[in-house]
Amino acid sequence: MAKAIFYALSIMLFFSAASVHAQNRSEGVKTPEVEMQLISAITATGDRTDLPLGLKVRLSEGWKIYWRSPGDAGLPPELSLADEMANSLHTLEMDFPVPSRFSLFGLDTYGYGREVVFPVYVRGHTAGQPLVLTAEINALVCADICIPVGGLLSLDLPAGQSRASADAQDIARFAALVPKDQTGPDIGVEKLAFISDPPRLMLEMAAGTPPLIDVFIETPVQGLGFAQPVAQSPQRPQHPQRPQHPQRYAIEITGTGDISALAGQQAVL
């Protein structure tokens, strides 16, 4: 099932100053290419059973880490409980903010450069108890070459009254960029169709929708990439900021995956 996620040029991002780490113990993974660390949005566990954390990733210049659907190539980062927590009742859930589009080795890929925080939620915590968390991260970071990176991450949160930590703003900023299942009030999608020759998707946006900047397609078919949408010539003059007639876009499909497997799939927009 294909899933399209849209964002408009009008999105504004407000960046806060670099935060100071919360007053709790946190150990991460560090290589010349990337640093990865668990951070917390709260200073203590309080009476919470769901704990808001984040996986903070800082990349050296030119290095990238992947989105949950990486495109033509690549692998998304995976965060899981360490083996020593196999009997724990805790579960981990990691979200992915809207990515950027990169061209690596002539392939379209989606991911993040410089710095990103993946919102992480610890579910099933016993209220009023401290948290001693050990997790395992496995990721692929790429520049001119790709390097697998992995290791153990740990975070301790004491029991006590739960207050916002110094990292809370950073986590909230990236959590606000996690795509939702529904489109915004000013975005209308009429149709998404697969065309086999040449292989492409045809996307039709409703009249009044702002011009589309980019689209990220998710599909269970591995090894496929979807190029940036190209607007098709309108049939009549339109206002450039908010067209009054439906807009059509062509999205080229690339990669080594089975393109024919897209035929007949129902799009979730």
Side-chain angles (χ1 to χ4, degrees):
M1 182 175 291
K3 183 177 181 181
I5 300 169
F6 306 89
Y7 66 104
L9 186 61
S10 59
I11 290 178
M12 300 180 66
L13 308 181
F14 297 89
F15 294 88
S16 62
S19 60
V20 179
H21 290 300
Q23 298 297 314
N24 44 60
R25 187 180 71 85
S26 178
E27 296 181 1
V29 171
K30 183 176 182 180
T31 74
E33 299 80 24
V34 62
E35 296 180 27
M36 295 181 284
Q37 184 180 34
L38 287 173
I39 59 176
S40 173
I42 52 178
T43 57
T45 60
D47 59 359
R48 296 169 178 260
T49 57
D50 292 347
L51 306 177
L53 310 181
L55 172 63
K56 189 168 189 175
V57 178
R58 289 177 172 170
L59 294 134
S60 298
E61 185 67 29
W63 289 87
K64 308 293 185 292
I65 194 168
Y66 288 102
W67 187 43
R68 64 191 183 196
S69 294
D72 282 339
L75 294 170
E78 295 184 352
L79 184 69
S80 58
L81 293 175
D83 289 344
E84 63 195 68
M85 298 191 68
N87 295 324
S88 170
L89 298 178
H90 294 93
T91 61
L92 290 180
E93 176 186 317
M94 186 168 79
D95 285 340
F96 288 75
V98 169
S100 296
R101 182 184 294 270
F102 299 106
S103 181
L104 293 173
F105 317 119
L107 305 175
D108 271 359
T109 57
Y110 318 120
Y112 316 89
R114 297 182 180 271
E115 181 175 298
V116 61
V117 176
F118 299 98
V120 175
Y121 301 93
V122 175
R123 313 288 191 192
H125 182 69
T126 301
Q129 296 299 309
L131 173 70
V132 180
L133 177 68
T134 306
E136 184 174 1
I137 181 67
N138 287 288
L140 189 69
V141 295
C142 294
D144 294 332
I145 60 172
C146 290
I147 298 175
V149 179
L152 294 178
L153 306 172
S154 64
L155 177 73
D156 290 0
L157 273 179
Q161 186 175 0
S162 178
R163 291 189 172 92
S165 74
D167 287 309
Q169 283 190 336
D170 276 351
I171 294 173
R173 173 163 59 90
F174 283 96
L177 298 177
V178 174
K180 305 298 189 295
D181 287 339
Q182 69 278 358
T183 57
D186 61 345
I187 297 176
V189 180
E190 294 289 340
K191 183 168 54 177
L192 179 65
F194 169 66
I195 309 297
S196 60
D197 188 18
R200 65 195 187 282
L201 297 178
M202 296 302 299
L203 175 64
E204 185 172 310
M205 307 297 292
T209 299
L212 185 62
I213 302 303
D214 207 344
V215 56
F216 299 101
I217 309 291
E218 297 188 272
T219 172
V221 182
Q222 300 296 313
L224 293 182
F226 300 88
Q228 195 163 1
V230 176
Q232 306 301 285
S233 299
Q235 296 180 352
R236 66 191 83 175
Q238 303 187 53
H239 191 286
Q241 298 303 316
R242 192 169 291 276
Q244 299 305 306
H245 305 287
Q247 296 292 288
R248 300 181 75 239
Y249 297 87
I251 302 170
E252 181 185 0
I253 304 174
T254 59
T256 58
D258 182 9
I259 294 177
S260 64
L262 296 177
Q265 289 194 32
Q266 181 179 356
V268 177
L269 306 171

